[in-house]
Amino acid sequence: MTATAPSGVRPGPAGTGPEGDAADSAELAGFGYQQELRRRMGRYASFAAGFSFISVLTTVFQFFALGYSFGGPAFFWTWPVVLAGQLLVAACFAELAARYPIAGAIYQWSTRLSTPAFGWYAGWLMVIGRIVVVGAAALALQAVLPAIWSGFQLVGGDPSPTSASGAANAALLGLILLVVTTLVNVLDNRVLTVVNTIGVTAEIVGVGLIVTLLLTHSDRTPGITLHTGEAGGAIGALLIGSFTAAYVLIGFESASEMSEETVNPRRTAPRTTFSALTTSGVCGGLLLLGGLLAAPSLTDGRLATEGLSYVLTSTLGDGVGKVLLADVVLAICAATLAIQTSATRMLYSMARDRQMPCSAMLAKVPRRTGMPAAAAVAVGVLAALLLLLNFLSPEALLAIGTTCIAMVYLAYAMVTGPMLVRRLRGQWGEPGPDEKDETGRPLFSLGRWGLPVNAVALAYGLLMTVNLAWPRQAVYDPSGGHWYFQWFTVLFLLVMMGLGFLVRTVRAQRGHSASDRPPVPALREPTQ
């Protein structure tokens, strides 16, 4: 039994250049949308969108200390486990990217797989989650800049992100970065593509150099990764240690978010989704291993507080170490830009369907730039407001980071869940023989592996959501003085869902409803 994709699937080969762009635009019209964003991105730029969002240099440097402080060297093994789970999720998303090459991927996919109301909540969670991710990424500058030059510590004297002065300085640096990324996001996607491409290339080169230097300066064998920390025993410690990988290995679907700006998206997006995740997975795993093998000491406490910045400057010397840290700064800037771009496209997609407050303004795309400027500014301002929480307490950094990741995992499950239901009902299967991508080749499909891959992907996503949101005092409120940080993720999720319900209720009372959106082409029933 097979299921065909929605109308608009290109039946055969297409040209490149203006003719190919026209065909892509015609397909988008089949989904009820006009081509407003500039379709200029090639395969490498599409890969860069996902790789920049993940940005192993940003997030591994930001969260290495957290994983090590709870899991010890053995937290390394949580990396391949999380990577395997995310690859299963990515496989499901790749099928959807081939059939629905539309901006606002999670929202669009969930809506078409389930109901408009369910899809709206998935999109709502993803918009909020990504706005928080933007803020969390901008905070990563604190883990690197003061290690390069003490003058970057503009507030107080303690650069540790967990100290009061370090947290306040992280917020200040993050605010400066958000101003820059917002400006780039309202200019032109050629500027955006150039910045992302340069950032990704520099990051890949930087990862290669850092890993090579760390492995050639290693003082111990990989057997050290079999040791664990003291917190909560092996299982408890590794569950917390998995936070590092969980924080890093998200955002691979950003290539799909940029589908309306990508040439030949049905062919390109599924492949760049996989390549971004696998490349990041390999690079990140090697960074973790290199850091553990080359660290001057595993017991002096610095690895659990300063992370990889300490390893680089201590092992390679201030000169080489600081040059490599400068490359990390570039990666952080590119990551923040890419995440803000992805959040902007999600917000724009929902506003275009008239599903958000101020939809007319947020969906506006000036013809001169081809960029949803109002949505970009909204994301930047909201992320900046979240950074102000860091002035209140150092624990806010971890609370913000965990909250956004839990929301992203939950939104992922709101796609893989309905997709699994459709598979079980026989409403989703292999594409028909007449369904081709832009090059005339069959659409990406999991074939007979679709059902087991989908089922495990959903189970993994739900378990990881619970793991991230679990209110552990040792993690979220170690000082014991702020109970609300311990429950921050759970409370934030509940508040955001309640706020979403309020938004929908108020809009319904004012005459706005899901019926206001353009018609959604439904999935065709499977054919025998």
Side-chain angles (χ1 to χ4, degrees):
M1 181 177 291
T2 62
T4 61
S7 60
V9 174
R10 184 171 293 168
T16 58
E19 292 183 1
D21 291 349
D24 289 330
S25 300
E27 285 190 358
L28 185 59
F31 289 108
Y33 302 114
Q34 294 181 349
Q35 182 71 54
E36 296 182 296
L37 307 178
R38 301 284 173 79
R39 196 177 289 276
R40 293 169 172 162
M41 296 178 62
R43 182 164 184 171
Y44 188 75
S46 177
F47 163 80
F51 189 85
S52 291
F53 191 120
I54 299 172
S55 188
V56 290
L57 281 184
T58 299
T59 43
V60 169
F61 271 80
Q62 190 175 13
F63 294 110
F64 180 98
L66 172 66
Y68 184 83
S69 64
F70 284 96
F75 96 99
F76 167 81
W77 295 106
T78 65
W79 186 273
V81 172
V82 173
L83 175 60
Q86 293 296 70
L87 282 171
L88 297 178
V89 176
C92 296
F93 287 2
E95 280 196 322
L96 289 162
R99 303 188 191 196
Y100 299 103
I102 314 172
I106 298 298
Y107 156 70
Q108 295 285 352
W109 297 340
S110 184
T111 296
R112 285 164 168 76
L113 290 168
S114 55
T115 65
F118 189 84
W120 187 92
Y121 278 105
W124 173 259
L125 282 179
M126 203 64 177
V127 166
I128 301 298
R130 282 187 170 164
I131 289 173
V132 182
V133 175
V134 174
L139 290 174
L141 283 177
Q142 182 63 25
V144 183
L145 280 179
I148 296 176
W149 179 47
S150 60
F152 286 117
Q153 185 64 34
L154 306 175
V155 179
D158 188 351
S160 173
T162 58
S163 68
S165 63
N169 197 68
L172 185 57
L173 294 175
L175 288 171
I176 296 172
L177 176 57
L178 286 177
V179 171
V180 176
T181 57
T182 301
L183 286 175
V184 174
N185 259 301
V186 300
L187 294 176
D188 187 284
N189 70 352
R190 284 175 295 192
V191 177
L192 183 69
T193 298
V194 169
V195 173
N196 257 341
T197 300
I198 293 174
V200 166
T201 303
E203 182 167 0
I204 292 174
V205 172
V207 169
L209 289 173
I210 291 172
V211 169
T212 300
L213 290 171
L214 290 179
L215 293 180
T216 55
H217 287 76
S218 60
D219 294 325
R220 51 190 68 88
T221 67
I224 193 66
T225 58
L226 299 177
H227 297 270
T228 187
E230 302 296 328
I235 295 178
L238 292 177
L239 283 175
I240 301 173
S242 68
F243 284 15
T244 297
Y247 288 166
V248 177
L249 299 173
I250 62 167
F252 45 84
E253 79 285 357
S254 290
S256 301
E257 287 288 357
M258 307 298 287
S259 287
E260 292 182 28
E261 295 157 84
T262 303
V263 179
N264 296 339
R266 294 186 190 274
R267 179 72 179 173
T268 301
R271 285 156 180 78
T272 52
T273 294
F274 270 120
S275 59
L277 180 57
T278 53
T279 304
S280 298
V282 172
C283 291
L286 291 174
L287 276 174
L288 293 182
L289 182 61
L292 291 171
L293 299 186
S297 173
L298 299 179
T299 58
D300 64 0
R302 295 187 65 184
L303 198 58
T305 57
E306 301 175 46
L308 285 182
S309 297
Y310 152 68
V311 178
L312 282 188
T313 54
S314 299
T315 303
L316 305 178
D318 280 348
V320 176
K322 289 182 178 180
V323 169
L324 293 174
L325 286 179
D327 188 69
V328 176
V329 172
L330 184 59
I332 292 172
C333 295
T336 305
L337 175 64
I339 298 168
Q340 185 175 0
T341 302
S342 183
T344 298
R345 298 305 180 270
M346 178 69 71
L347 183 58
Y348 160 75
S349 183
M350 294 187 71
R352 179 175 58 180
D353 283 357
R354 299 185 287 277
Q355 296 302 298
M356 297 294 284
C358 305
S359 287
M361 179 183 66
L362 294 174
K364 188 175 181 180
V365 179
R367 186 179 298 274
R368 183 179 62 84
T369 64
M371 300 281 278
V377 171
V379 171
V381 170
L382 291 172
L385 292 176
L386 283 171
L387 291 190
L388 299 180
L389 290 175
N390 234 39
F391 285 103
L392 299 178
S393 174
E395 283 84 3
L397 171 62
L398 186 57
I400 289 173
T402 305
T403 297
C404 66
I405 304 306
M407 293 179 75
V408 169
Y409 273 83
L410 182 57
Y412 284 176
M414 293 177 76
V415 173
T416 55
M419 191 178 193
L420 179 60
V421 170
R422 282 194 170 272
R423 289 187 192 276
L424 292 173
R425 291 177 177 175
Q427 297 173 331
W428 187 274
E430 297 183 46
D434 60 331
E435 297 176 279
K436 308 292 183 181
D437 64 22
E438 296 87 356
T439 65
R441 300 174 186 176
L443 296 179
F444 177 87
S445 173
L446 292 172
R448 71 176 73 179
W449 292 99
L451 182 60
V453 167
N454 197 163
V456 178
L458 175 61
Y460 157 79
L462 292 175
L463 288 173
M464 187 58 74
T465 302
V466 173
N467 183 37
L468 288 164
W470 199 264
R472 300 176 177 92
Q473 180 177 340
V475 179
Y476 303 120
D477 187 26
S479 63
H482 305 90
W483 65 269
Y484 44 85
F485 279 130
Q486 180 180 345
W487 291 88
F488 187 88
T489 299
V490 176
L491 292 174
F492 194 85
L493 281 171
L494 291 175
V495 169
M496 287 302 104
M497 291 298 286
L499 180 60
F501 177 79
L502 180 62
V503 168
R504 285 180 59 83
T505 301
V506 171
R507 286 178 59 78
Q509 292 175 347
R510 293 180 177 178
H512 302 289
S513 67
S515 61
D516 290 338
R517 58 165 293 150
V520 177
L523 287 167
R524 293 178 185 170
E525 290 299 314
T527 56
Q528 299 292 336

